[in-house]
Amino acid sequence: MLKHLYIKNFTLIDELDIELQQGFSVITGETGAGKSIILGAIALLLGQRADSKTIKQGADKCVIEAHFDLTRYDMDAFFTENDIENDPEDCIIRRELLASGKSRAFINDTPVQLNMLKELGERLVDVHSQHQNLLLNKQDFQLGVVDIFSGDDQQLAQYQQTFRQYQQVRQELEEQKESIERNRQNEDFLRFQCEELTQAHLVEGEQEELEQRSDTMSHSEDIKSALYEADRALSAEQTGAVQSLRSTLYELRKIGEVYLAAAELEQRIDSCYIELKDVAQEVSSHLERIDFDPSELDAVTNRLDKIYDLEKKYHVETVEELMAKRDELTTQLDHIENSDEALSALQQQLQQLQRQAEQEAETLTKLRMKAAKTIEAEMQTKLVPLGMPNVRFSVDVTRQPLSLSGQDRIAFMFSANTSTPLQPISQVASGGEIARVMLSLKAMISGAVKLPTIIFDEIDTGVSGKMAEKMAEMMQEMGARGRQVISITHLPQIAALGSIHYKVEKQETPQGTVSSMKQLDETERVHEIAQMLSGSDVSEAAIANAKQLLKVKK
């Protein structure tokens, strides 16, 4: 349950710090006093996206914080899965809005993403506002209500897993059919391309090797001339470098015994001589091998031209990419040749998944039809005391094509009297009747899903007098069953039945308009309910009437 709410610098609220109680509480206040502002703050705590415009003018930051007591609700798994410390007696949720537009969210002082805050918020508080009555028009809402009472979570999850697999295979089958059809239309062209690349006998790395050979042969005369000059400079009999070093060695040896430095120099030059002699032999060898062959150059050039033409044609830059294209074409042709077998295997898989999905959907249907009977009986029990003695409420379960939710279409059928046939509730129920139906559904749902806190925002729209009192009694009963029920109301009959009464007020201050909220004592409560009965001029009769209403509560 929500036990403490703190709001600072949120629209018209300077600072609100209030304790809330278990059971059935009511919040009253004039239109525009700020009740919707408090609901807006709670919505932010439940994961609604923030707007920096909601920060009170002149403030740098807005803080909204709530403390929950979760000791009666098993939520340990959520905190364990999300690696958040858990104190069931004091779970703290906080939102901070900065004037810069940034927003931060915390669960037990741990920073969290907004989707995680929303996930927890949906399990802590259900805010039912007037617009939620429109949900009765929504087929998915009606189906969700039935699923809550059918307890089919595991069965629905299993079915949805199967259905997604079914959709995936169906999509894969369609894509395969389209691909095969396109390939078959282009089969002759694909085969020509594959044969062209295959007959090219491409070899990895050959382009670089051919380009090097072509470059060498194209400059063979320059290379040969340079090698000739290098060979002459190294190996000429009289002037060659090799012969010069040899003569140098000879001269140093002659004085090595009498001049020790010459012996050391001899050794160093001897190493150079050996290396230079080896280099001279290699240069001579290269010179002998260089021979210009025009036919070989033509062959290399033709091969390179063939490779370049193929690369341009297939929009690639390397032989390796051409080889990859060849392999891709081979695979496509293999798929065309084996397409019938591949399609047959996919069709068999699809049929198997469809049968499995249909079986699992049928199990869902049986669970939902059983739940529908329970809902019909309970709704009859709850609606009759709310001023509908001849009400009929039916859950119509019909078949539809398989979808992610199953094969069932749910429609809530309604008639407030015996002379009117059952029709979809959104078409025949009045605003007051829809409010009573939604309250009854919420009362049932709250017990099924064990929501800690339920907030009704003017659910009494369209009802008054005795019916309002009956609706209040239903909310009072929900509170007595371990729920925290908070009703924002304009009706004194509902306000009088709350165990705790809060009032929201708006005041004009030198700093501007400010909204506040406080818990009323018994005297203040009598005056508030009297004012709700008679208006701003509170009469003695209104006070007496208010006391009588409060006495009924006791």
Side-chain angles (χ1 to χ4, degrees), residues 33-47:
K35 301 184 296 296
S36 61
I37 295 174
I38 294 172
L39 279 181
I42 292 175
L44 287 176
L45 282 176
L46 303 182

PDB file of all heavy atoms in Angstrom, residues 33-47:
ATOM      1  N   ALA A  33      -9.040  22.534  -7.750  1.00  0.00           N
ATOM      2  CA  ALA A  33      -8.248  22.735  -6.529  1.00  0.00           C
ATOM      3  C   ALA A  33      -6.881  22.086  -6.620  1.00  0.00           C
ATOM      4  O   ALA A  33      -5.954  22.484  -5.916  1.00  0.00           O
ATOM      5  CB  ALA A  33      -9.007  22.189  -5.321  1.00  0.00           C
ATOM      6  N   GLY A  34      -6.753  21.063  -7.446  1.00  0.00           N
ATOM      7  CA  GLY A  34      -5.440  20.425  -7.598  1.00  0.00           C
ATOM      8  C   GLY A  34      -5.456  18.917  -7.453  1.00  0.00           C
ATOM      9  O   GLY A  34      -4.397  18.293  -7.374  1.00  0.00           O
ATOM     10  N   LYS A  35      -6.649  18.311  -7.415  1.00  0.00           N
ATOM     11  CA  LYS A  35      -6.703  16.845  -7.293  1.00  0.00           C
ATOM     12  C   LYS A  35      -6.031  16.177  -8.484  1.00  0.00           C
ATOM     13  O   LYS A  35      -5.308  15.199  -8.337  1.00  0.00           O
ATOM     14  CB  LYS A  35      -8.166  16.386  -7.172  1.00  0.00           C
ATOM     15  CG  LYS A  35      -8.903  16.969  -5.978  1.00  0.00           C
ATOM     16  CD  LYS A  35     -10.299  16.407  -5.843  1.00  0.00           C
ATOM     17  CE  LYS A  35     -11.196  16.768  -6.996  1.00  0.00           C
ATOM     18  NZ  LYS A  35     -11.450  18.226  -7.106  1.00  0.00           N
ATOM     19  N   SER A  36      -6.268  16.723  -9.673  1.00  0.00           N
ATOM     20  CA  SER A  36      -5.655  16.142 -10.871  1.00  0.00           C
ATOM     21  C   SER A  36      -4.141  16.312 -10.861  1.00  0.00           C
ATOM     22  O   SER A  36      -3.408  15.507 -11.444  1.00  0.00           O
ATOM     23  CB  SER A  36      -6.242  16.784 -12.128  1.00  0.00           C
ATOM     24  OG  SER A  36      -5.980  18.176 -12.146  1.00  0.00           O
ATOM     25  N   ILE A  37      -3.660  17.367 -10.188  1.00  0.00           N
ATOM     26  CA  ILE A  37      -2.210  17.576 -10.087  1.00  0.00           C
ATOM     27  C   ILE A  37      -1.576  16.455  -9.272  1.00  0.00           C
ATOM     28  O   ILE A  37      -0.524  15.921  -9.630  1.00  0.00           O
ATOM     29  CB  ILE A  37      -1.911  18.949  -9.455  1.00  0.00           C
ATOM     30  CG1 ILE A  37      -2.402  20.060 -10.372  1.00  0.00           C
ATOM     31  CG2 ILE A  37      -0.420  19.102  -9.174  1.00  0.00           C
ATOM     32  CD1 ILE A  37      -2.277  21.446  -9.777  1.00  0.00           C
ATOM     33  N   ILE A  38      -2.231  16.084  -8.173  1.00  0.00           N
ATOM     34  CA  ILE A  38      -1.713  14.992  -7.338  1.00  0.00           C
ATOM     35  C   ILE A  38      -1.720  13.693  -8.127  1.00  0.00           C
ATOM     36  O   ILE A  38      -0.753  12.912  -8.080  1.00  0.00           O
ATOM     37  CB  ILE A  38      -2.544  14.884  -6.049  1.00  0.00           C
ATOM     38  CG1 ILE A  38      -2.345  16.150  -5.206  1.00  0.00           C
ATOM     39  CG2 ILE A  38      -2.158  13.641  -5.257  1.00  0.00           C
ATOM     40  CD1 ILE A  38      -3.244  16.249  -4.008  1.00  0.00           C
ATOM     41  N   LEU A  39      -2.782  13.460  -8.880  1.00  0.00           N
ATOM     42  CA  LEU A  39      -2.828  12.260  -9.721  1.00  0.00           C
ATOM     43  C   LEU A  39      -1.722  12.298 -10.778  1.00  0.00           C
ATOM     44  O   LEU A  39      -1.123  11.268 -11.096  1.00  0.00           O
ATOM     45  CB  LEU A  39      -4.192  12.146 -10.400  1.00  0.00           C
ATOM     46  CG  LEU A  39      -5.324  11.548  -9.567  1.00  0.00           C
ATOM     47  CD1 LEU A  39      -6.601  11.487 -10.384  1.00  0.00           C
ATOM     48  CD2 LEU A  39      -4.966  10.165  -9.049  1.00  0.00           C
ATOM     49  N   GLY A  40      -1.459  13.477 -11.309  1.00  0.00           N
ATOM     50  CA  GLY A  40      -0.385  13.600 -12.294  1.00  0.00           C
ATOM     51  C   GLY A  40       0.967  13.270 -11.701  1.00  0.00           C
ATOM     52  O   GLY A  40       1.810  12.634 -12.346  1.00  0.00           O
ATOM     53  N   ALA A  41       1.179  13.691 -10.454  1.00  0.00           N
ATOM     54  CA  ALA A  41       2.438  13.370  -9.783  1.00  0.00           C
ATOM     55  C   ALA A  41       2.568  11.862  -9.578  1.00  0.00           C
ATOM     56  O   ALA A  41       3.631  11.268  -9.781  1.00  0.00           O
ATOM     57  CB  ALA A  41       2.509  14.101  -8.446  1.00  0.00           C
ATOM     58  N   ILE A  42       1.465  11.226  -9.165  1.00  0.00           N
ATOM     59  CA  ILE A  42       1.480   9.766  -8.973  1.00  0.00           C
ATOM     60  C   ILE A  42       1.733   9.069 -10.301  1.00  0.00           C
ATOM     61  O   ILE A  42       2.465   8.070 -10.374  1.00  0.00           O
ATOM     62  CB  ILE A  42       0.156   9.307  -8.339  1.00  0.00           C
ATOM     63  CG1 ILE A  42       0.061   9.833  -6.901  1.00  0.00           C
ATOM     64  CG2 ILE A  42       0.042   7.781  -8.368  1.00  0.00           C
ATOM     65  CD1 ILE A  42      -1.262   9.543  -6.225  1.00  0.00           C
ATOM     66  N   ALA A  43       1.152   9.597 -11.382  1.00  0.00           N
ATOM     67  CA  ALA A  43       1.371   8.997 -12.707  1.00  0.00           C
ATOM     68  C   ALA A  43       2.847   9.020 -13.083  1.00  0.00           C
ATOM     69  O   ALA A  43       3.366   8.076 -13.679  1.00  0.00           O
ATOM     70  CB  ALA A  43       0.537   9.734 -13.756  1.00  0.00           C
ATOM     71  N   LEU A  44       3.540  10.104 -12.720  1.00  0.00           N
ATOM     72  CA  LEU A  44       4.982  10.163 -12.993  1.00  0.00           C
ATOM     73  C   LEU A  44       5.722   9.085 -12.213  1.00  0.00           C
ATOM     74  O   LEU A  44       6.674   8.475 -12.721  1.00  0.00           O
ATOM     75  CB  LEU A  44       5.523  11.542 -12.626  1.00  0.00           C
ATOM     76  CG  LEU A  44       5.155  12.693 -13.571  1.00  0.00           C
ATOM     77  CD1 LEU A  44       5.673  14.007 -13.031  1.00  0.00           C
ATOM     78  CD2 LEU A  44       5.711  12.451 -14.964  1.00  0.00           C
ATOM     79  N   LEU A  45       5.286   8.836 -10.982  1.00  0.00           N
ATOM     80  CA  LEU A  45       5.902   7.768 -10.188  1.00  0.00           C
ATOM     81  C   LEU A  45       5.671   6.400 -10.820  1.00  0.00           C
ATOM     82  O   LEU A  45       6.464   5.473 -10.618  1.00  0.00           O
ATOM     83  CB  LEU A  45       5.322   7.766  -8.772  1.00  0.00           C
ATOM     84  CG  LEU A  45       5.862   8.830  -7.807  1.00  0.00           C
ATOM     85  CD1 LEU A  45       5.115   8.755  -6.494  1.00  0.00           C
ATOM     86  CD2 LEU A  45       7.354   8.649  -7.576  1.00  0.00           C
ATOM     87  N   LEU A  46       4.591   6.269 -11.577  1.00  0.00           N
ATOM     88  CA  LEU A  46       4.255   4.984 -12.185  1.00  0.00           C
ATOM     89  C   LEU A  46       4.859   4.827 -13.575  1.00  0.00           C
ATOM     90  O   LEU A  46       4.532   3.874 -14.278  1.00  0.00           O
ATOM     91  CB  LEU A  46       2.729   4.826 -12.251  1.00  0.00           C
ATOM     92  CG  LEU A  46       1.992   4.938 -10.907  1.00  0.00           C
ATOM     93  CD1 LEU A  46       0.505   4.712 -11.096  1.00  0.00           C
ATOM     94  CD2 LEU A  46       2.556   3.953  -9.898  1.00  0.00           C
ATOM     95  N   GLY A  47       5.724   5.776 -13.964  1.00  0.00           N
ATOM     96  CA  GLY A  47       6.461   5.598 -15.220  1.00  0.00           C
ATOM     97  C   GLY A  47       6.008   6.454 -16.370  1.00  0.00           C
ATOM     98  O   GLY A  47       6.511   6.294 -17.489  1.00  0.00           O
TER      99      GLY A  47
END
